[in-house]
Amino acid sequence: MIHSLYTDKEIFLRELISNASDALDRLRFEALTDPTLLDVNDKYEIRLETDKEQGLCRFPDTGIV
């Protein structure tokens, strides 16, 4: 998938992190008018999870789409 969308792996990773950051910003914005959104999770975070056995790298975040 990386090669079909981006030619440079660093750009692809930067885009994933940027998308996660946008989801956190959206949560902050939506929570201004709906504070109950923060009841589920009051942390704003982006995590890096790796699985060496499967060769996977994940960037889960606590934001909303």
Side-chain angles (χ1 to χ4, degrees):
M1 182 173 143
I2 289 175
H3 297 293
S4 66
L5 297 176
Y6 301 97
T7 57
D8 192 354
K9 291 179 184 180
E10 288 81 13
I11 293 173
F12 179 74
L13 291 175
R14 193 176 333 146
E15 186 67 22
L16 287 177
I17 295 168
S18 176
N19 289 346
S21 176
D22 290 346
L24 293 177
D25 288 341
R26 174 122 188 232
L27 175 61
R28 284 187 201 102
F29 178 75
E30 294 289 332
L32 293 173
T33 56
D34 185 3
T36 61
L37 291 172
L38 298 179
D39 291 345
V40 176
N41 191 352
D42 61 349
K43 287 184 176 179
Y44 298 116
E45 64 183 9
I46 302 169
R47 292 182 308 280
L48 170 61
E49 298 175 355
T50 58
D51 185 336
K52 289 183 182 182
E53 291 177 7
Q54 294 184 359
L56 297 175
C57 184
R58 295 180 188 92
F59 295 90
D61 63 74
T62 57
I64 59 174
V65 179

